[in-house]
Amino acid sequence: MSYDVIVVGAGPAGSAAASECARLGLKTLCLEEHGTIGYPVQCAGLLSNAAFAECRVSERSVLNRVSGARVRSGRGHEILIDTGTTRAVVVDRGALDREMAEAAAGAGAEFRLRTAVYGVRGHTVLTRGVNGHEEQSSDLLIAADGPRSTIARLLGMERAPVFLAGIQADIAHECDPRLVELYPDASPDFFGWSVPTSGNRIRVGLCGKTQVPQRFEALMKTFGPAGSTNLVTGTLPLGIMPRTYGHRTLFVGDAAGFAKPTSGGGIYTGVRSARHAAAVAAESCERGRFDDAALAGYEQKWQADFGKELRLGFRLFGMRQRMSDGDIDAFITALNDPPVIRIIEEYFDMDRPGTVIGKLLLNPAMIRLLRPLFLSGLKSLF
């Protein structure tokens, strides 16, 4: 059977792409290798208000609401940011993913589960799964198949420059349900976290380049003896792939390297990139053109939307690698100043951190602290 668009992957980005393509009148097929949409879960499930709104779902998946964060250094200093209003939600990712897929199916997209792509030949994808070996043809592919994108590998596309490994577990632990906690020293490459799903349960995890299991075990010990449930591992791509289109294919979400280097979150950028991809797919199908020149508009769209934020985030990630525990402690201490806290509370945006960084760089005390590590890397962006 022939389709206008085949979407590979039924996570939030894939379902958003399938939904938008179907809404625009394209005959759309979404392929998912797993037997159940939303599993395995490889996400802390913390979404900014904007990211959750982009998913266009009900609140059935919401487990908790968060108004702030506490950042703790390994040397005992901390900073507390609490806006007093909901800034993010903690969700059941399985429920969220399923609701997005249901919306896409309701818009007219066809779904096939337990169906993995193992080859691409011209207009045709080769699949194997519950229906055995099959061939499906389309005018265009949208690759939403995650950080280890099979489609990127099959097409010989260059990948994101950095991949981090992550581990997370759900544990019983009394906490302030309003606050996420961050532990920069738990993983020198990135950070550790605890995300409250309620007042007595949290998701504890971290990402890093090396010694991830050992560092995760050390972090877990700080919470005392507590049985864990739903232990998961995953991969986090950081840095955008050099080209996000080609070979009649558009890459969205983690497959394109759109995870935010400042937080690791990828739903906001994933869903927005998916809608940009659907718009370009509709234009291409209407014109009957699928060459690289016709698809280049996709990259222009997402670059104008969130490209600058991702480039800034990746630069900050690089600077993070040069910060010692002492640097982190000094940074947290400097941030723990009422005027600085007010700036953060007013301007911080999980999805677009550029604004608050620009505001902080106007503060003389922050300039003195950040100059050795940050200023040279940031000046080209402001």
Side-chain angles (χ1 to χ4, degrees), residues 20-317:
E20 190 69 5
C21 284
R23 188 188 69 79
L24 292 171
L26 304 181
K27 188 175 183 182
T28 305
L29 172 66
C30 186
L31 303 174
E32 170 55 50
E33 64 178 344
H34 296 105
T36 303
I37 290 174
Y39 293 96
V41 174
Q42 297 175 323
C43 173
L46 180 69
L47 279 67
S48 69
N49 292 340
F52 186 71
E54 287 290 342
C55 294
R56 299 177 183 173
V57 294
S58 72
E59 296 196 349
R60 291 199 301 268
S61 62
V62 176
L63 302 174
N64 187 30
R65 300 178 190 278
V66 171
S67 61
R70 179 182 285 113
V71 185
R72 299 181 184 269
S73 82
R75 300 188 180 189
H77 291 104
E78 66 177 54
I79 178 174
L80 173 64
I81 306 294
D82 189 356
T83 63
T85 60
T86 298
R87 301 298 292 269
V89 295
V90 184
V91 301
D92 177 333
R93 266 295 305 274
L96 177 80
D97 287 19
R98 287 191 296 275
E99 189 171 352
M100 292 187 71
E102 289 168 2
E110 179 182 341
F111 280 76
R112 296 212 184 161
L113 305 183
R114 294 181 184 173
T115 303
V117 175
Y118 71 89
V120 178
R121 188 172 59 215
H123 297 205
T124 303
V125 294
L126 312 179
T127 67
R128 54 176 168 242
V130 65
N131 294 324
H133 289 258
E134 295 182 294
E135 297 184 3
Q136 308 289 345
S137 63
S138 68
D139 292 323
L140 194 68
L141 281 180
I142 294 179
D145 52 343
R148 299 294 187 186
S149 173
T150 297
I151 301 301
R153 177 177 55 80
L154 291 171
L155 297 179
M157 301 291 288
E158 191 173 345
R159 305 296 289 113
V162 176
F163 289 88
L164 302 182
I167 305 180
Q168 179 178 272
D170 290 5
I171 66 171
H173 188 79
E174 295 295 322
C175 65
D176 186 335
R178 301 169 303 166
L179 302 176
V180 172
E181 292 203 352
L182 303 177
Y183 317 106
D185 295 338
S187 178
D189 306 318
F190 203 54
F191 59 84
W193 63 82
S194 66
V195 174
T197 58
S198 68
N200 53 26
R201 293 202 69 83
I202 58 176
R203 293 171 180 162
V204 179
L206 58 76
C207 281
K209 293 180 180 178
T210 60
Q211 299 182 312
V212 172
Q214 297 89 334
R215 290 171 178 165
F216 177 71
E217 183 179 355
L219 177 61
M220 287 288 284
K221 287 179 179 178
T222 65
F223 294 93
S228 67
T229 60
N230 195 35
L231 181 69
V232 297
T233 60
T235 302
L236 177 65
L238 297 182
I240 306 162
M241 63 191 300
R243 195 171 72 163
T244 58
Y245 65 94
H247 307 286
R248 304 173 74 98
T249 303
L250 304 173
F251 293 84
V252 302
D254 283 358
F258 287 157
K260 292 172 290 185
T262 48
S263 68
I267 290 182
Y268 179 79
T269 50
V271 171
R272 290 190 67 82
S273 67
R275 296 210 173 95
H276 293 314
V280 170
E283 294 169 5
S284 295
C285 288
E286 182 177 356
R287 296 161 57 194
R289 282 193 54 193
F290 307 97
D291 56 280
D292 286 359
L295 302 184
Y298 166 62
E299 197 152 290
Q300 295 167 5
K301 288 177 183 293
W302 69 252
Q303 284 279 14
D305 186 352
F306 53 78
K308 182 178 178 180
E309 294 290 347
L310 290 185
R311 292 193 299 274
L312 169 62
F314 194 69
R315 193 165 297 222
L316 291 172
F317 170 75

